Amino acid sequence: MFIFQGTCPHCHSDRGFAAFGMSTYILGDYDYSKTPTIDRAILEKRRENNPLVSFSLAGSCLSCKKPVVATCSTSQKTLEEIRPCIGSVERESRRQVTVEHIFPSPVQHYSHPSLPEKVNNAFVDLQKMLDEKKQPYFIIFGCRSVLEAAVRQLGGEGKSLYDRIDNLYKKGVITASLKEWASIIRRAGNEAAHDMEGSPDEAGELVAFTRIFLQFTFELPDIISRTRVARG
């Protein structure tokens, strides 16, 4: 068995892929698999220098089992070591190759530099959990946690999250619609924490509501500010 690293474009898992097939490889400008009559002395000399080779691997995700194709590169010696392990259950190599591209391309999760680092990182993790079909109530409560951190960052004041959301609305930081979306996230998060219940559809909706809240409260003001600066 040979496992190569990467993020699955189907389920977004980072566990890696079990390789089950390999393409022909290219050494320099020569495709040696198609040129069996190449000068053996030249080939042996290049092997001694351990040159870089390029090839493609077909693999299946260790989490969702769906297939991918990856373009890779590694040294000649490493390739010779891992090749017998590809698709084998009896042989194994822990060597690694450089994965240059994975097809299909992974979908990028929402992230923006205007978001506070903790909020940004936590929301990316929630999106990964949604893709990986983790427990919905974890995701729903996570949305509430992201909302609470965002509200504090925006200057919401009060003893409870309810009070801080209302404070932002009264100060004109958020609109009536955003206040309602925030309230939906807050209530759903509370229920998920107490009852440990929630559906995948509900988790998806809460992630979408949370994204909208973050876009309107952080990303949009940042875009407007940068546009004003650019126009002088």
Side-chain angles (χ1 to χ4, degrees):
M1 175 182 290
F2 174 67
I3 295 173
F4 59 96
Q5 300 302 310
T7 300
C8 179
H10 307 292
C11 71
H12 300 279
S13 169
D14 294 321
R15 292 181 61 197
F17 309 91
F20 59 78
M22 191 187 89
S23 70
T24 58
Y25 67 91
I26 298 175
L27 178 60
D29 295 329
Y30 255 111
D31 185 342
Y32 285 94
S33 64
K34 296 180 181 179
T35 317
T37 58
I38 188 170
D39 188 325
R40 295 301 173 185
I42 295 176
L43 179 57
E44 291 303 323
K45 182 65 175 177
R46 291 183 177 180
R47 279 182 174 169
E48 288 177 6
N49 295 331
N50 203 23
L52 198 67
V53 293
S54 300
F55 54 96
S56 294
L57 288 174
S60 58
C61 174
L62 294 177
S63 292
C64 71
K65 311 303 180 186
K66 292 184 178 180
V68 300
V69 174
T71 56
C72 309
S73 62
T74 191
S75 68
Q76 178 77 23
K77 290 180 181 178
T78 298
L79 179 64
E80 290 174 352
E81 178 181 323
I82 67 175
R83 181 187 284 178
C85 304
I86 295 174
S88 172
V89 295
E90 299 177 352
R91 304 185 67 170
E92 180 179 0
S93 173
R94 296 189 179 278
R95 292 271 191 174
Q96 278 304 313
V97 300
T98 299
V99 177
E100 297 168 354
H101 299 286
I102 292 178
F103 303 94
S105 299
V107 175
Q108 296 298 315
H109 294 114
Y110 174 71
S111 173
H112 195 269
S114 65
L115 300 182
E117 184 177 1
K118 289 183 179 180
V119 171
N120 191 71
N121 293 342
F123 190 58
V124 169
D125 286 343
L126 285 177
Q127 293 171 86
K128 288 181 179 179
M129 290 171 66
L130 184 66
D131 292 332
E132 295 169 7
K133 304 186 187 308
K134 300 296 186 181
Q135 286 287 354
Y137 67 85
F138 277 144
I139 300 170
I140 295 169
F141 182 71
C143 288
R144 185 196 184 283
S145 298
V146 167
L147 172 69
E148 183 154 17
V151 167
R152 288 182 182 277
Q153 188 70 30
L154 292 166
E157 299 174 342
K159 293 183 178 181
S160 66
L161 180 55
Y162 174 90
D163 293 334
R164 290 189 286 273
I165 292 171
D166 188 57
N167 178 252
L168 289 181
Y169 171 67
K170 289 178 178 178
K171 292 193 295 188
V173 177
I174 60 175
T175 64
S177 295
L178 285 176
K179 178 185 177 183
E180 178 59 27
W181 286 337
S183 298
I184 291 172
I185 297 168
R186 178 187 61 81
R187 289 194 297 267
N190 289 343
E191 292 172 4
H194 294 148
D195 302 333
M196 297 183 69
E197 293 181 355
S199 69
D201 287 344
E202 186 179 7
E205 289 176 358
L206 268 294
V207 168
F209 280 150
T210 304
R211 173 173 177 164
I212 291 171
F213 185 86
L214 296 176
Q215 285 178 312
F216 273 87
T217 54
F218 291 99
E219 181 180 352
L220 185 57
D222 179 67
I223 292 173
I224 294 172
S225 177
R226 287 188 286 107
T227 300
R228 286 174 177 169
V229 171
R231 292 181 176 178

